[in-house]
Amino acid sequence: MAYSSILDWIDFFKDPMDSPYYPFDTYNLAYDIGFKLHEIIGGTIAWLINLLFPGNGVSEWLMCDYVSAIMALLIFMILIFLVAFVSVLIVLWLERKLLGRMMDRRGTMIGMKGFLQCVADGLKTFMKENTIPKKVDKMTYIWCVSLIVGLSVLVACMVPLSSRWYVVDYQTGLLIIMAFFALAPFLILVSGWAQNNKYSLIGGMRAAELMISYEVPMLILICTAALAAGSFNIGDIVYYQNDHLWFFIPQILGFIVFFFCATAEAERVPFDIAEAEAELVEGWQTEYAGMKWGLIMLADYLRGTVSCGMVVILYLGGWTLPFIGDGPIPEIVFLLKAYFVFFLMVLLRAAMARVRTDQILNIGWKVFMPLSVINLAIVIVLKVGGLI
């Protein structure tokens, strides 16, 4: 058989939407990148195999539509996770540097303005000994932390960065995200019980009561935003704000309440009563050591970035900009807005001390709950009056 060029196996301009196995209804940038990478890498491998064994069927199989779709999906999932993971590293670095400046010090300084400190911490926790106390309920102890981390990663990957960077264009996206969020209190409570440690049990009970008391106002505010936009679809809510007003303006009360509730859901200061190092050693995380503890911290920051993303979607126009719309790089716009919200969370952490358990519950049920209902009433009046 005659020699075949590598360009015979690689089609740089092939449209993934033309494939009969294209899994989405609209254009997906992450999938397109995965498809192009498979064209380059898979095409090169297929060309090399064909060069060594001319006329073999493996090369043709490697570049068929079905295999290309599977490989593109695998690369797509890796890309989605990498973006979420790098975002966590950025917010962790941002928090350390900001807290350092607010305390009149430089903060972390290990490589690249201190960014590599996050990588060093990950390597350090990975190398620590994996210890498990004798008297714990081992199966529950392991499965709870696995589910907490897994659900946090899943929710972080489900938040779309733009109309072209998403996992699934689901019509009830906000409710699905909140449904996974609502599993965290149950898993944390069970995890605290499984450790057979009084500090862990108290921390788990605190976490559960904290999250439940703040999830109800959050759900009311999410339903309020959906009512204003006329849809639970995240894209519809974002583009409704782009066509009218960011919900931050008519729902300033809802924005403030949702911001504090999101901070509490992420277990951040001043709502970190579930950890409370001065009182409970490390709360529900007390008996987790090594990489298990590192993964729990990763999950905490993943939930924090999701909370910031939800604030951006509901009140700050998502990935759109006034008079511009999507723009050329809407994903960067979304991430910058999320980092700004996280900056506000860091300011809150630096400015306030931890509040008592009774104060947190009173704020959730007696302050934020009525305010969220008042915000709902305001939106109903504005919607009926045709003002939004």
Side-chain angles (χ1 to χ4, degrees), residues 63-370:
M63 298 308 295
C64 71
D65 289 337
Y66 183 70
V67 175
S68 295
I70 292 177
M71 296 305 297
L73 273 176
L74 290 175
I75 299 174
F76 157 81
M77 289 185 285
I78 293 172
L79 285 174
I80 293 290
F81 171 76
L82 284 178
V83 169
F85 181 71
V86 172
S87 295
V88 169
L89 296 183
I90 291 175
V91 298
L92 182 57
W93 169 81
L94 181 66
E95 180 170 34
R96 284 173 161 171
K97 297 299 283 188
L98 287 173
L99 287 176
R101 293 299 181 180
M102 292 170 187
M103 298 173 186
D104 197 22
R105 57 185 177 84
R106 286 182 172 272
T108 175
M109 295 292 291
I110 307 298
M112 296 172 60
K113 299 295 183 179
F115 186 79
L116 292 182
Q117 180 67 58
C118 306
V119 180
D121 288 341
L123 292 174
K124 180 185 73 172
T125 55
F126 181 76
M127 295 173 66
K128 284 185 176 294
E129 183 180 0
N130 180 28
T131 60
I132 300 177
K134 289 183 178 180
K135 294 184 179 181
V136 301
D137 185 335
K138 189 172 182 179
M139 180 177 292
T140 309
Y141 172 85
I142 295 296
W143 271 104
C144 280
V145 69
S146 301
L147 289 173
I148 290 170
V149 175
L151 286 172
S152 300
V153 173
L154 177 62
V155 173
C157 292
M158 288 174 65
V159 176
L161 302 186
S162 71
S163 59
R164 63 182 187 178
W165 191 282
Y166 60 90
V167 176
V168 181
D169 187 18
Y170 27 75
Q171 295 301 313
T172 56
L174 289 176
L175 291 181
I176 293 175
I177 290 175
M178 285 306 301
F180 285 119
F181 243 89
L183 291 174
F186 172 74
L187 293 172
I188 290 175
L189 175 60
V190 175
S191 174
W193 170 82
Q195 294 173 52
N196 195 24
N197 179 302
K198 61 182 179 181
Y199 298 114
S200 301
L201 179 59
I202 294 173
M205 294 174 65
R206 283 186 175 188
E209 64 186 10
L210 166 66
M211 292 184 177
I212 291 172
S213 62
Y214 282 80
E215 277 175 2
V216 178
M218 284 183 73
L219 284 172
I220 294 175
L221 293 171
I222 287 173
C223 292
T224 303
L227 172 66
S231 173
F232 274 106
N233 183 278
I234 292 176
D236 293 343
I237 293 173
V238 169
Y239 288 116
Y240 186 90
Q241 294 178 73
N242 183 62
D243 295 337
H244 299 81
L245 281 175
W246 287 5
F247 288 160
F248 166 78
I249 298 173
Q251 299 187 49
I252 181 64
L253 183 62
F255 170 78
I256 295 172
V257 173
F258 193 90
F259 172 76
F260 280 100
C261 289
T263 305
E265 280 290 302
E267 295 185 76
R268 294 187 54 82
V269 177
F271 304 105
D272 62 331
I273 61 169
E275 299 172 16
E277 295 93 337
E279 309 156 30
L280 301 179
V281 187
E282 188 62 25
W284 70 273
Q285 306 173 21
T286 299
E287 300 294 352
Y288 288 106
M291 198 57 192
K292 295 190 295 296
W293 181 86
L295 290 174
I296 290 173
M297 294 303 297
L298 173 66
D300 288 343
Y301 277 92
L302 281 169
R303 293 203 303 274
T305 55
V306 170
S307 299
C308 295
M310 294 292 287
V311 173
V312 172
I313 289 170
L314 292 175
Y315 297 102
L316 299 179
W319 50 82
T320 63
L321 289 173
F323 311 110
I324 297 176
D326 281 7
I329 45 175
E331 297 83 13
I332 301 298
V333 171
F334 183 91
L335 289 174
L336 289 177
K337 289 182 180 180
Y339 297 152
F340 170 74
V341 176
F342 189 79
F343 167 74
L344 298 179
M345 288 185 177
V346 176
L347 288 182
L348 187 66
R349 172 177 180 173
M352 298 185 66
R354 184 188 307 120
V355 297
R356 298 196 313 265
T357 307
D358 61 315
Q359 292 173 330
I360 281 185
L361 296 180
N362 285 334
I363 292 171
W365 292 112
K366 297 181 180 180
V367 178
F368 289 160
M369 174 69 78

